[in-house]
Amino acid sequence: MDCVFCKIVNGDIPSLKVYEDEHTLVFMDIARDVDGHMIAIPKRHVKNILDCDEATLIHLITTVKLVANYCVEKCGYEGVNLLNASDESAGQSVPHFHIHIIPRTKNDQVDAWPKFDGALNKIEEIYEKIKIK
């Protein structure tokens, strides 16, 4: 498989492993865009949350919580941003399910929240489309 994250899991590409267990891996993001930026992945290849089985999702979110709590309880951070894009239409650039973990402090000057241009449709119309019936 030609997946960069699978190559990291297999040890074909070196990484700075923050946490690893039987099902998941968390490693430092090499983008160097913000201090502490980590990526959490399931070791089993799934493209994104849309095709992820429940057990894999539970393992991954449990790991994300463990790492997030560690950052706050042991490393001096006050919170975290969790970011995910599922599918190319949402901006997913690596086709292996992953969650970005960005540890935060109150005055770190990081703006990790997306800037939106405004809704195009009435909220009631979108609500009718997406509500689960």
Side-chain angles (χ1 to χ4, degrees):
M1 177 169 286
D2 197 32
C3 171
V4 65
F5 289 170
C6 286
K7 289 179 180 179
I8 290 172
V9 169
N10 294 333
D12 300 331
I13 296 175
S15 66
L16 297 173
K17 296 177 182 179
V18 174
Y19 176 82
E20 182 175 18
D21 65 23
E22 179 183 356
H23 302 285
T24 62
L25 175 63
V26 179
F27 54 92
M28 299 301 296
D29 189 306
I30 62 170
R32 299 221 8 96
D33 50 4
V34 63
D35 288 340
H37 187 171
M38 296 168 276
I39 297 178
I41 62 171
K43 288 184 172 180
R44 180 169 111 36
H45 183 85
V46 291
K47 182 179 178 186
N48 56 46
I49 197 170
L50 302 172
D51 71 346
C52 186
D53 61 279
E54 193 171 299
T56 300
L57 181 59
I58 289 169
H59 289 303
L60 183 59
I61 202 65
T62 300
T63 291
V64 168
K65 181 173 173 39
L66 183 144
V67 172
N69 282 343
Y70 185 85
C71 287
V72 171
E73 295 168 3
K74 303 290 186 185
C75 302
Y77 293 101
E78 298 165 303
V80 297
N81 281 113
L82 304 177
L83 306 171
N84 169 262
S86 286
D87 198 61
E88 293 83 5
S89 63
Q92 183 177 6
S93 58
V94 177
H96 186 121
F97 185 28
H98 59 286
I99 298 174
H100 297 262
I101 306 170
I102 301 171
R104 301 293 306 274
T105 58
K106 283 186 178 96
N107 297 312
D108 61 15
Q109 305 292 316
V110 174
D111 185 5
W113 201 254
K115 303 251 187 283
F116 297 109
D117 295 331
L120 302 176
N121 299 285
K122 292 182 179 179
I123 191 172
E124 295 83 4
E125 292 172 5
I126 301 302
Y127 165 75
E128 288 299 328
K129 179 179 180 178
I130 64 175
K131 75 176 178 179
I132 298 175
K133 299 171 183 155

